[in-house]
Amino acid sequence: MNGVRSWRAHIGHGSTFTIADLSAAGTLVHAWLSRWIEAPEAPVLVDTAPGSPPVAGHRHKTGEWWTGSELEAATRRAAGRLVGAGLVPGDRLLWSTSSSVATLVVHIAALRAGLVVVPANTAYTAREIAHIVTDVRPAGAVVDDRRRGQWASEAAGGALTVFAPELDGPDHDPGLLDTARPEDPALIGFTSGTTGAPKGAVLTHANLLASVESVREAWRWVPDDRLVHCLPVFHAHGLCVGVYGTLSSGASAVLLPGFDPNSILDAADRYSASLYFGVPTTYHRLASSERVGELGRLRLCVSGSAPLAAELHRRVSDATGQAVIERYGMTETLMNVSNPYDGERRPGSVGFPLPGVEVSLADDDEILVRGPNVFGGYWERPDATTASFSPDPNGGRPWFHTGDLGAVSDDGYLSILGRSKELIISGGYNVYPAEVEAVLIGHPEVLDVAVTGTASDEWGEVVTAWVVTGHDGLVPEGLSEFAAERLAPYKCPRLVHVVGELPRNALGKVVRAELHVRPE
């Protein structure tokens, strides 16, 4: 195990937790339903944004809490409308919306009906939506933007039903709900590879439940907790940690449409919140706010999706008395490692494996992970699946190769050193150079191109393009617009350098490590 501390270090004094607890509920849906039955009138979710879409058949006002019993009824009605539109268990449902109770009701309803939800970034362009639709062949799409719905429909040749989050249409008997088995697919999360072709990681109901229960135990998440939720729900951090964790613990969440320091702190005060989950970019902005000290009122602050700089961790801690818990996860595995709730939350480290998770370092220091949270493979990509796992010589679960490089301290804390795969993380989102390069090379004045990440205090990294053109030193006209039409904004280069040629090795492969701005 290379000295990585055991997951048992997360278990609180007096806890009766066992590994069997990760699967006891069977599925996430069953865990949620049990909470709603136990406390039917307890508040669960609330919209704060004026103009949030209405929930099918309900007339809640903005700022009015949804209780467990109301969510059960609303998701049952929504499931009926999905079933009435012809969707059947196993069908894929593209789901690309901003955060609201309405869209979460549809998401939960889809899982209750046995559908497989495919989240997609709301910033995706027609090209990116078309790739996902062509790959997973969804029977339906839930979108809050007509253009996105049109793109999905065109990519499917009209062979899918497009819904708004309101699910307009007649009510329909949903039939028997909540019948999905733990081993059934529940979510397909798209994550790119170094080839630049995004591929879908298939996560089962058991994977999702194990990850959520692991975090719930480690972070002492209880029904009295209230989360200020500003993360996008199409991303694993906002959805699989923030939303799923809230519902499984019987807690509550205040849904904000996006991030703004004042809105976060106002909501925390108004709703007596105890939790805030963010990414390094949001903590950078909070640390620059005169009100940052107000974070100290919360029970717990968590950072994920990208490395949190040790200096930023200390800045927030000094200003608030709040030691942020940094953790480590990814689409294929959900949550892997976390700093402890009880014990040292070490700046620059992600801590040790969460309950039920095992971590090891390969000979080249690549981080390997296994556990009930780890997915079984990529959607219809057996070669990519095989290449991502190593068998256990002792016959145990295979090890998943994360592509991240790590080191372990003498006392068992894991730190992320870098990546063996050519991944850029900007603002918490993954960007793969090959995908951006494949777009930029299509510009008529770009003869050659390579993409790297440049360190940024605010974004972690910014996407940087190195282009070879026929115009010495001049950035091709319209390059930014060309990229913006084909890539989500977070993938578009913020920096562009024109170079005479790209450094290549003897095999012709670009040596990205040699791409950096040289002093004059």
Side-chain angles (χ1 to χ4, degrees), residues 116-119 135-136 185-192 198-204 207-208 330-334 374-381 385 389 400:
V116 183
V117 181
V118 186
D135 197 8
V136 302
L187 207 68
I188 299 179
F190 268 78
T191 178
S192 296
K199 52 188 181 289
V202 182
L203 293 155
T204 66
N207 294 148
L208 301 178
M330 58 198 313
T331 303
E332 293 94 334
T333 64
L334 301 177
V374 178
F375 82 137
Y378 295 105
W379 172 261
E380 297 184 346
R381 296 286 298 276
T385 299
F389 286 89
F400 175 68

Side-chain angles (χ1 to χ4, degrees), residues 325-394:
I325 281 186
E326 185 176 7
R327 53 63 164 191
Y328 165 61
M330 58 198 313
T331 303
E332 293 94 334
T333 64
L334 301 177
M335 298 293 287
N336 296 323
V337 179
S338 171
N339 270 272
Y341 184 78
D342 298 318
E344 181 189 1
R345 303 173 189 177
R346 186 171 298 175
S349 167
V350 291
F352 31 90
L354 284 158
V357 181
E358 293 180 81
V359 170
S360 183
L361 297 185
D363 292 340
D364 62 355
D365 293 329
E366 183 181 12
I367 299 170
L368 309 180
V369 177
R370 67 179 180 184
N373 57 307
V374 178
F375 82 137
Y378 295 105
W379 172 261
E380 297 184 346
R381 296 286 298 276
D383 291 346
T385 299
T386 299
S388 298
F389 286 89
S390 289
D392 178 15
N394 298 318

Side-chain angles (χ1 to χ4, degrees), residues 158-246:
L160 88 171
T161 303
V162 178
F163 305 90
E166 299 92 324
L167 290 184
D168 291 332
D171 287 333
H172 188 279
D173 181 2
L176 192 61
L177 296 178
D178 315 315
T179 60
R181 299 166 300 176
E183 66 270 22
D184 288 339
L187 207 68
I188 299 179
F190 268 78
T191 178
S192 296
T194 55
T195 62
K199 52 188 181 289
V202 182
L203 293 155
T204 66
H205 285 268
N207 294 148
L208 301 178
L209 178 64
S211 182
V212 167
E213 290 300 298
S214 179
V215 167
R216 186 163 71 89
E217 172 67 24
W219 295 348
R220 317 293 191 260
W221 210 334
V222 296
D224 287 341
D225 277 318
R226 179 160 293 167
L227 172 67
V228 176
H229 190 295
C230 69
L231 295 168
V233 292
F234 51 73
H235 191 275
H237 191 170
L239 178 66
C240 302
V241 183
V243 174
Y244 291 177
T246 293

Side-chain angles (χ1 to χ4, degrees), residues 56-90:
H58 296 262
R59 297 187 178 277
H60 273 60
K61 298 177 182 178
T62 300
E64 185 176 353
W65 282 99
W66 284 80
T67 66
S69 62
E70 289 171 331
L71 285 172
E72 194 286 324
T75 55
R76 179 174 293 276
R77 183 193 296 261
R81 293 190 176 185
L82 292 171
V83 171
L87 277 70
V88 298

